[in-house]
Amino acid sequence: MTRLRALILAALLSLWSAFALAPAVAEARSGPSARATQAADLDGLFAPPAEVPEGWRTEHGVYARVHAHPDDRAVARRLARHAEAAVPRLATALGVPPGATIDVFVAPTQDRFRELQPGTPPSWADGTAWPTRGLVYLRSPRLRPGTDEPLEQVLDHELIHIILGRAFAPRPVPHWLQEGAAQLLARQYTPELTERLAQGQLGDSLFSLDSLTRSFPADPVRARLAYAQSADLVAYLQNTYGEDALPTITLALAQGADVDEALHAVTGKDAIALDREWRARLSSSPMWLGPLVADTTLIGGAALMLVFGGIAHRRRRRRVLARWEREEKVQNAVYDALAGEWPGRPGLPLPPTPPRWAHPEPS
């Protein structure tokens, strides 16, 4: 019966997506931005529900069910309470419905974290989300020693992926919106992200908005810059065009508008003009100074100053010694000439022999 209810729910969700989004999808223009939101992946919508491992405990809620090993039952209760408040709050901030109940699994071991999932998670993942299936996988706090990020914050990030993925299904969410909103609303927009963005600006390697719509780079260093840029862009939209900017743009995109249309409705600018405006704001801010005053940069700069200072000191020393040597020769020549004249002038005593000029070495 549980499996039957899940299949019926998946079918209803698919029908809702088709009827709610079909009219706007038909009107979407062809082009880079439009193509980025046109794709089809229905596998998750019709997949069977995930099985809960035997012996695990489930904390039930309206918006989320949290499944965990008995050793993590207290964690499951805490996450279930958090999800009951977080899901409607995040859905409201995004301007889209929260969708059906989400299943959250708290894995007690790293092997279990990999085995439970319908696909292979990245080796560095702390949590994963499977939007069309409505599944979130988290690692137990016992697997996260030394991290300052609460598990609730990781859950918020993954919940945003679920909410957005369902609202856009069966089409993908623009990458900058997906990751930018997840970081901003999960309160992961940190000084570290700002520093990455400043390094990208200093190196003139920022991505265009159109490229961030289509995909993120595979290179980890470049990918981190793309994440930081997406978070800053979403924050810029909120700060510049008001709190309604993000939900209005998100809803328009979910209903099938292309990126240019959705952005123009809120900002009066297309993607290229908004990208130019955002970059101009970065250029006029002191953010780019961050990498120049970082501790490692200061240490490196100090080392370079010592090297160049030492070279300049040695050059000055050689010049001074050469000048003193020339002066010494002149002075000694004068004294030698004067001493040679005295014998031809009888009755006058010879003056004492003058000392050779001696200078201390310059320090």
Side-chain angles (χ1 to χ4, degrees):
M1 183 63 68
T2 302
R3 184 181 296 272
L4 179 60
R5 286 201 303 267
L7 290 174
I8 293 173
L9 180 60
L12 290 174
L13 179 60
S14 177
L15 289 173
W16 174 84
S17 299
F19 284 108
L21 304 179
V25 172
E27 298 175 0
R29 297 195 306 263
S30 61
S33 299
R35 287 198 300 271
T37 58
Q38 293 175 358
D41 180 13
L42 300 177
D43 293 344
L45 290 174
F46 300 103
E51 295 185 3
V52 180
E54 185 177 355
W56 281 33
R57 302 290 186 266
T58 299
E59 297 295 328
H60 294 272
V62 174
Y63 297 104
R65 291 181 293 265
V66 183
H67 315 284
H69 187 274
D71 292 344
D72 288 315
R73 190 166 188 182
V75 176
R77 289 173 179 168
R78 191 178 79 236
L79 293 178
R81 289 194 300 268
H82 177 81
E84 287 303 290
V87 172
R89 171 176 57 82
L90 296 173
T92 300
L94 293 168
V96 295
T101 304
I102 300 168
D103 285 290
V104 180
F105 291 81
V106 182
T109 66
Q110 186 66 29
D111 289 341
R112 204 64 160 143
F113 179 70
R114 290 193 301 267
E115 296 166 357
L116 286 170
Q117 307 195 40
T120 304
S123 59
W124 43 262
D126 202 21
T128 60
W130 303 83
T132 55
R133 301 169 190 257
L135 300 175
V136 170
Y137 294 91
L138 304 174
R139 300 192 307 155
S140 168
R142 297 191 302 275
L143 305 180
R144 308 174 69 243
T147 178
D148 295 330
E149 186 174 55
L151 195 56
E152 287 85 349
Q153 201 168 20
V154 180
L155 176 59
D156 282 353
H157 186 109
E158 306 306 338
L159 289 175
I160 293 165
H161 288 327
I162 297 288
I163 295 169
L164 283 174
R166 284 176 163 177
F168 278 73
R171 298 167 300 112
V173 185
H175 280 65
W176 63 266
L177 176 62
Q178 178 82 275
E179 298 301 341
Q183 293 174 90
L184 185 68
L185 297 181
R187 298 179 176 86
Q188 294 171 317
Y189 187 52
T190 61
E192 182 183 3
L193 290 180
T194 304
E195 183 178 352
R196 288 177 191 165
L197 187 62
Q199 291 170 348
Q201 181 190 3
L202 189 63
D204 194 25
S205 57
L206 296 178
F207 299 95
S208 68
L209 180 55
D210 188 64
S211 66
L212 291 177
T213 296
R214 294 192 304 270
S215 64
F216 277 9
D219 176 68
V221 176
R222 298 285 289 160
R224 284 194 290 270
L225 175 59
Y227 276 86
Q229 187 172 340
S230 298
D232 190 77
L233 177 61
V234 173
Y236 175 72
L237 288 171
Q238 289 281 76
N239 295 334
T240 305
Y241 297 99
E243 292 297 320
D244 292 335
L246 178 60
T248 303
I249 292 171
T250 302
L251 182 59
L253 291 170
Q255 291 176 340
D258 67 31
V259 174
D260 282 340
E261 290 173 337
L263 292 175
H264 191 275
V266 172
T267 68
K269 302 174 179 65
D270 61 13
I272 294 177
L274 181 68
D275 189 26
R276 189 182 301 115
E277 179 183 270
W278 174 76
R279 289 168 184 268
R281 191 270 300 177
L282 285 183
S283 300
S284 63
S285 74
M287 180 189 298
W288 64 273
L289 290 172
L292 297 181
V293 298
D295 292 342
T296 54
T297 307
L298 288 176
I299 293 173
L304 288 175
M305 290 176 64
L306 288 174
V307 171
F308 287 113
I311 294 174
H313 173 75
R314 287 194 295 272
R315 289 177 177 174
R316 286 196 305 271
R317 182 173 179 271
R318 285 196 295 266
R319 288 196 298 269
V320 170
L321 289 175
R323 177 171 57 83
W324 284 349
E325 184 177 358
R326 290 194 301 271
E327 292 177 354
E328 182 177 2
K329 289 180 179 179
V330 171
Q331 294 288 345
N332 289 333
V334 171
Y335 280 113
D336 288 342
L338 293 175
E341 291 180 1
W342 286 109
R345 301 180 64 181
L348 293 177
L350 290 174
T353 303
R356 296 283 180 178
W357 287 99
H359 292 280
E361 290 190 357
S363 57

